[in-house]
Amino acid sequence: MSLVTIIENIAKIMGRYWYVFLVKGVGYTLLLSIIVLVCGAILGSIMAIGKGSKFAPLRWIITAVVEVVRGTPSLLQLYIGYFFVPKLLNIEGLSAQMQAFVCCAIALIINSAAYVSEIVRSGIEAVDKGQTEASRSLGLNSFTTMTKIILPQAIKNILPALGNEFIVVIKETSLASTFFVGDLMTAYLEVKGATYLSTECLIIVGAIYFVLTFTLSKIMGVAERKMKAHA
Amino acid sequence: MLNVNNIYKNFGDLKVLKGVSTEIKAGEVVSIIGASGSGKSTLLRCMNLLETPTFGEVWMEGKLLTPVDPYLHPEVIACSNTYKKLVAEGMSSGDAIVKIKAEDLLNEKFSSAEGKEYRAAMKKIYDENYIDINVARQKMGMVFQQFNLFNNLSVKENIMFAPVSIGLAKIRKAKRKNLLIKLGNLFKKEKKELIEITETKESIKAEAEAKAMELLRRIGLEEKADVYPSTLSGGQKQRIAIIRALAMNPEVMLFDEPTSALDPEMIGEVLDLMKELANEGMTMVIVTHEMGFAREVSDRVLFVDEGYIKEDRPPEELFKSPEDPRLRDFLSKVL
Ligand SMILES: Nc1ncnc2c1ncn2[C@@H]1O[C@H](COP(=O)(O)OP(=O)(O)OP(=O)(O)O)[C@@H](O)[C@H]1O
Ligand SMILES: [Mg+2]
């Protein structure tokens, strides 16, 4: 198999299946990633704040979730989501692919929330304790102190790490193809099945993933530099 | 004005304060001196509850800031099961109270083990004297060694932050109450009157801004109103930190080594501002290593050592004829 044939084959595949890769595959991958990232960021922030709570059992539960998520493979978590979410939520009305999508999204959200909560937590902890003390000593309650003084400063530590988490999430979503949710890796499985040209399909999918994550990390680099210039 | 009543503070096994009591009177300037690590900051921070005392109570203007410490209230001890048991065993009432205090016999101060009557006595004292710590802190300014200006706010915003946030919170609270009253009025014949809200968001901000500018003018830094703290010198930061606390019109100011993080040439400007405040009659508690300053401005100097206040006297006496040998030793090192 020569390089020339591979390139020719890639051109042919893209001519015929561009829609499957670039629209469906990229679309589902980005959709899943964005849902996971947004929900994961919200849930993760709540978990981070909960971890500072005075109520010890809440702290223990959150710590346990974080440790379990970090200590088990993501693929295993997806399997668990795939088998347990339908038992907890009524999603029978959806198509098989949408059911898989929902299950994977929920599993990935919990996974991402665990990592985000650590990012947020350490971002908050990196803010000098004197800032909290100054605000509390003026008679402000902990909520106002958190929202008006601490979080605005913590966000500068949090955003760059959150950007990295976005890239990780994009790559993790590929695991969801195990359940044929329609993402880029699912597109790969589909087209490979139709063409039997697995090398070419892998190169195509790899290149798309790379372009996605590389563009993102460049955009984030620019954003980070802008933010530093303002600080 | 401020009463520290038999404060103990432990950090794990480390006993930093072992029963400290003092009263700060209105208009008084009190300095706290002592070796590094002796617990000066801890004592000061217990006054506004940035540290929670392990035992003991802090009172401000007749209001209780800390939880009730049963050991300071014999009538509470007398309600406890432990006391009743000792008395039933034939001990006299006075002896029982002394024994319980000395041997820390009350088990778990708030648990049900000491009985209903005991808990009711505790609750009664608390309900009659308790003040929300956030409200109390609005009357106590604090100045830190590390300035602690809010990095995300401009100088003017730093000064306006507390008055505006607290003013707005008051309006919100009044509006919520009015809403409840209105709802209640729908069902009642006798209409309750609404709370009159004279202030608006704008008026609160305008007022806070005028006050901030006035304070900045006082220290000659009005041109720094819109810059961020990172661009200021240490002396400027600390003076702004002081007026930020003044913006709340506090009744007492707590200073924790306000000049220790400053370059020598900036110490003077901060001490001058503090002297001004002292001369205006501000009540002040100052933890300091500046002995000359303590001597000049203080009405009283407290020497903290080994968890106790070892000396508590006017500065002329204390510096001229220190009695405690450890104070003599300390002064010979720092003077
Ligand atoms: N949050 C804390 N946790 C544990 N130990 C603490 C804490 N704060 C203070 N300590 C310890 O308590 C002791 C007294 O500390 P404190 O800061 O009150 O001393 P200080 O007299 O203010 O000293 P310095 O002059 O160095 O400021 C020290 O041994 C210190 O290490
Ligand atoms: Mg100190």
Side-chain angles (χ1 to χ4, degrees):
Chain A
M1 201 165 30
S2 74
L3 198 60
V4 181
T5 28
I6 290 183
I7 293 173
E8 277 174 8
N9 283 342
I10 288 178
K12 263 190 233 155
I13 294 173
M14 280 311 275
R16 184 135 173 235
Y17 295 102
W18 64 272
Y19 182 83
V20 179
F21 285 117
L22 294 180
V23 180
K24 259 178 74 185
V26 171
Y28 273 113
T29 288
L30 282 183
L31 181 68
L32 187 58
S33 306
I34 290 170
I35 290 176
V36 168
L37 192 85
V38 170
C39 298
I42 294 170
L43 184 62
S45 306
I46 294 172
M47 283 164 66
I49 291 167
K51 219 174 167 187
S53 145
K54 282 196 194 114
F55 186 58
L58 183 65
R59 293 202 306 268
W60 297 334
I61 291 172
I62 293 170
T63 308
V65 170
V66 171
E67 291 307 322
V68 168
V69 166
R70 291 209 293 194
T72 55
S74 306
L75 187 57
L76 177 98
Q77 293 161 19
L78 280 172
Y79 270 101
I80 293 174
Y82 190 71
F83 289 115
F84 280 95
V85 171
K87 299 209 164 89
L88 300 173
L89 284 180
N90 187 3
I91 51 174
E92 273 165 29
L94 303 174
S95 70
Q97 195 189 349
M98 275 321 285
Q99 283 188 23
F101 188 89
V102 170
C103 295
C104 290
I106 289 176
L108 287 170
I109 285 170
I110 292 171
N111 174 289
S112 180
Y115 287 99
V116 170
S117 78
E118 289 297 284
I119 292 171
V120 173
R121 191 83 223 136
S122 62
I124 289 173
E125 269 161 17
V127 177
D128 182 13
K129 267 193 75 190
Q131 299 283 309
T132 308
E133 292 188 345
S135 175
R136 297 307 307 272
S137 78
L138 285 162
L140 292 139
N141 59 28
S142 55
F143 181 79
T144 309
T145 303
M146 185 50 89
T147 53
K148 295 281 170 59
I149 302 293
I150 307 306
L151 285 182
Q153 296 184 52
I155 211 92
K156 292 197 181 97
N157 313 325
I158 293 170
L159 278 185
L162 214 52
N164 286 335
E165 176 64 16
F166 196 13
I167 290 177
V168 171
V169 165
I170 289 183
K171 293 192 285 185
E172 295 263 281
T173 56
S174 65
L175 295 175
S177 65
T178 314
F179 309 102
F180 293 93
V181 299
D183 71 317
L184 263 174
M185 276 310 274
T186 312
Y188 157 76
L189 295 172
E190 248 178 73
V191 178
K192 187 195 76 175
T195 60
Y196 299 103
L197 293 170
S198 91
T199 312
E200 287 81 350
C201 289
L202 272 180
I203 293 174
I204 291 172
V205 171
I208 298 176
Y209 269 120
F210 181 76
V211 168
L212 280 181
T213 54
F214 187 74
T215 321
L216 251 170
S217 76
K218 282 291 148 207
I219 293 173
M220 257 142 31
V222 173
E224 218 170 297
R225 247 170 285 134
K226 280 221 169 123
M227 218 160 65
K228 283 226 176 87
H230 279 287
Chain B
M1 149 124 278
L2 199 58
N3 263 296
V4 174
N5 207 344
N6 206 28
I7 289 288
Y8 288 75
K9 179 66 191 180
N10 304 342
F11 290 112
D13 287 338
L14 181 69
K15 295 189 162 79
V16 179
L17 300 177
K18 307 172 191 164
V20 169
S21 301
T22 189
E23 182 188 353
I24 314 289
K25 298 203 181 69
E28 215 178 12
V29 177
V30 176
S31 293
I32 302 176
I33 63 171
S36 179
S38 57
K40 304 180 297 294
S41 302
T42 306
L43 172 57
L44 191 78
R45 292 158 60 83
C46 279
M47 291 182 184
N48 69 352
L49 256 64
L50 279 187
E51 296 299 349
T52 317
T54 313
F55 298 106
E57 292 175 354
V58 177
W59 293 72
M60 186 180 140
E61 296 184 322
K63 288 288 174 191
L64 181 61
L65 272 55
T66 50
V68 179
D69 180 352
Y71 291 115
L72 295 175
H73 304 275
E75 75 277 15
V76 172
I77 298 180
C79 294
S80 67
N81 288 341
T82 308
Y83 170 88
K84 288 173 192 164
K85 204 177 108 213
L86 287 178
V87 171
E89 283 166 6
M91 198 178 262
S92 82
S93 162
D95 287 352
I97 285 176
V98 170
K99 188 177 160 73
I100 289 173
K101 264 196 199 178
E103 295 174 25
D104 185 10
L105 291 182
L106 293 180
N107 47 57
E108 295 173 51
K109 283 190 275 169
F110 294 97
S111 83
S112 46
E114 293 298 349
K116 232 184 190 170
E117 202 186 327
Y118 167 83
R119 272 181 301 153
M122 291 280 276
K123 188 167 182 305
K124 181 160 174 277
I125 296 179
Y126 184 75
D127 289 345
E128 280 170 3
N129 300 295
Y130 151 89
I131 181 173
D132 177 27
I133 184 62
N134 290 329
V135 175
R137 281 178 180 151
Q138 289 163 23
K139 299 263 164 253
M140 313 167 110
M142 178 133 186
V143 176
F144 302 85
Q145 185 175 347
Q146 298 300 336
F147 328 125
N148 294 344
L149 292 181
F150 303 128
N151 299 320
N152 59 323
L153 301 179
S154 72
V155 165
K156 193 169 72 183
E157 288 164 346
N158 259 278
I159 305 169
M160 291 166 59
F161 175 61
V164 169
S165 303
I166 288 162
L168 294 184
K170 276 188 189 143
I171 294 188
R172 278 198 302 271
K173 197 173 168 195
K175 281 190 177 156
R176 269 203 305 275
K177 274 196 182 148
N178 275 349
L179 191 68
L180 285 181
I181 295 175
K182 274 185 200 162
L183 277 176
N185 283 349
L186 290 179
F187 303 102
K188 283 190 206 124
K189 266 215 186 106
E190 277 176 43
K191 306 288 180 205
K192 256 209 208 159
E193 261 191 63
L194 295 184
I195 305 165
E196 198 184 354
I197 304 175
T198 48
E199 286 179 303
T200 62
K201 199 172 169 181
E202 288 70 31
S203 77
I204 283 178
K205 278 193 181 149
E207 199 183 316
E209 184 167 0
K211 174 103 193 182
M213 291 313 292
E214 179 198 316
L215 287 164
L216 279 170
R217 227 169 287 129
R218 165 175 185 171
I219 58 169
L221 288 178
E222 67 259 58
E223 81 275 13
K224 299 287 186 190
D226 295 313
V227 307
Y228 282 81
S230 56
T231 63
L232 300 168
S233 76
Q236 291 171 335
K237 281 185 196 167
Q238 195 59 303
R239 285 186 292 144
I240 287 164
I242 292 173
I243 61 168
R244 174 178 68 179
L246 291 179
M248 290 301 294
N249 299 317
E251 280 162 28
V252 50
M253 290 277 286
L254 311 175
F255 295 84
D256 191 356
E257 298 196 34
T259 57
S260 293
L262 294 177
D263 292 337
E265 71 270 21
M266 294 175 186
I267 293 177
E269 60 191 66
V270 172
L271 293 184
D272 285 344
L273 177 58
M274 290 169 64
K275 271 180 217 165
E276 264 182 56
L277 292 180
N279 289 334
E280 287 164 16
M282 174 64 78
T283 314
M284 296 162 70
V285 184
I286 310 164
V287 173
T288 184
H289 285 298
E290 297 282 331
M291 295 303 149
F293 175 75
R295 194 167 186 158
E296 192 186 331
V297 303
S298 316
D299 299 306
R300 267 195 302 146
V301 177
L302 312 182
F303 174 58
V304 173
D305 187 48
E306 297 178 320
Y308 306 99
I309 296 181
K310 291 267 183 81
E311 291 212 23
D312 173 0
R313 291 194 290 154
E316 313 82 52
E317 290 177 29
L318 183 132
F319 286 109
K320 256 200 212 110
S321 52
E323 276 165 15
D324 188 88
R326 302 210 14 139
L327 173 58
R328 252 179 269 149
D329 189 44
F330 172 73
L331 289 178
S332 74
K333 276 185 200 140
V334 295
L335 286 180

